[in-house]
Amino acid sequence: MTDSRTAAALRALHRPGDPLILPNAWDAGSARAVAAAGFPAVATSSAAVAESLGHADGETTPVDEMLDAVARVVRSVPVPVTADLERGYGLRPAELVDRLLATGAAGLNLEDSDPRTGELCDADEQAGLLAAVRAAAGPDLVVNARVDVFLRATGDHAAAFDEAIRRARRYRAAGADCVYPILLADPELIRRFVAAVDVPVNVLLRAGTPVVAELARLGVARVSLGSGVYAAARQRAAAMLAALAAGGDPFAG
């Protein structure tokens, strides 16, 4: 079981201008590697966990398997763990909180689009979900509210900006500790987003995103790598296997 002290320690790591860096893990081994590298917290990636368990992303992983994976990560490291739980796997908020707290996790991500259809959820409906999670958890979980407007946008990110701000403010009012406008990458839009919301902001670090030092200057409080480390590990493994199958040196390069 987690407690409010672990969640408070995780919450305190969200410092605008000095962001918490989270190279997301997918199992006990990768979580240990993150902690051994000196990172003060571990996050899971739902996509990476799902694929490592033989499932696809998008809430196709049975909830028991996902929570068991989170529990293994928690047991493997001495630092706070926050879990990517997509949109909650259909659990009622109180049950979701109880079962997550039983793993020992100190935080969670919840996204505001339907993982199965890709459609954005109604903002008020999502705010109600976040408020119910906050009511059930009290201070014992750090709630990171993912804002999927830029992920689902079909045009210019600038056109989606006002809606993303509206959702972020609504989720903050519902009790979110942090908001996560996933795929927002333009430096000026990140700066404006941070300035417009009274809550720590999480940015996904990927190709095309400003480097960590620049994100810090923009006031970002949390930086995630999503499934990036897992994808890189898979790519490296595939290259080694291809070299081996071709009779070459799998350790070259």
Side-chain angles (χ1 to χ4, degrees):
M1 293 288 291
T2 191
D3 59 36
S4 58
R5 291 173 298 178
T6 308
L10 177 60
R11 195 173 283 113
L13 293 170
H14 292 67
R15 297 184 293 265
D18 182 19
L20 170 63
I21 312 300
L22 294 169
N24 303 63
W26 58 93
D27 61 9
S30 57
R32 289 192 189 103
V34 170
F39 294 96
V42 170
T44 65
S45 158
S46 66
V49 171
E51 287 197 20
S52 72
L53 294 174
H55 305 288
D57 195 24
E59 290 198 350
T60 68
T61 307
V63 66
D64 290 349
E65 290 188 40
M66 181 61 70
L67 291 171
D68 285 347
V70 171
R72 287 191 295 273
V73 167
V74 172
R75 290 195 300 268
S76 71
V77 294
V79 297
V81 172
T82 180
D84 181 356
L85 295 186
E86 304 196 57
R87 200 164 181 262
Y89 300 91
L91 298 179
R92 292 176 295 105
E95 182 182 2
L96 177 66
V97 168
D98 285 347
R99 295 188 65 178
L100 181 60
L101 288 174
T103 70
L108 79 163
N109 279 15
L110 288 172
E111 59 197 57
D112 68 348
S113 56
D114 187 323
R116 293 177 173 83
T117 67
E119 296 294 325
L120 277 170
C121 300
D122 178 79
D124 289 337
E125 178 185 341
Q126 183 70 6
L129 171 62
L130 294 168
V133 167
R134 171 56 68 212
D140 292 348
L141 286 174
V142 175
V143 178
N144 190 29
R146 206 176 87 177
V147 180
D148 286 1
V149 170
F150 301 110
L151 177 64
R152 306 304 178 191
T154 56
D156 193 313
H157 277 187
F161 187 79
D162 289 346
E163 175 62 12
I165 291 294
R166 184 183 77 85
R167 286 175 178 257
R169 289 173 172 167
R170 185 74 181 84
Y171 302 161
R172 174 68 182 96
D177 296 285
C178 185
V179 294
Y180 183 10
I182 192 167
L183 296 196
L184 180 61
D186 178 84
E188 177 58 20
L189 290 182
I190 293 172
R191 184 195 64 76
R192 288 173 53 199
F193 192 96
V194 169
V197 298
D198 183 25
V199 62
V201 174
N202 185 170
V203 168
L204 177 68
L205 183 64
R206 63 190 186 109
T209 306
V211 298
V212 170
E214 176 64 11
L215 292 174
R217 287 192 290 271
L218 294 171
V220 171
R222 173 167 164 162
V223 177
S224 303
L225 274 75
S227 58
V229 177
Y230 175 77
R234 284 193 61 185
Q235 184 177 22
R236 176 58 180 152
M240 292 179 71
L241 294 171
L244 187 62
D249 181 359
F251 301 104

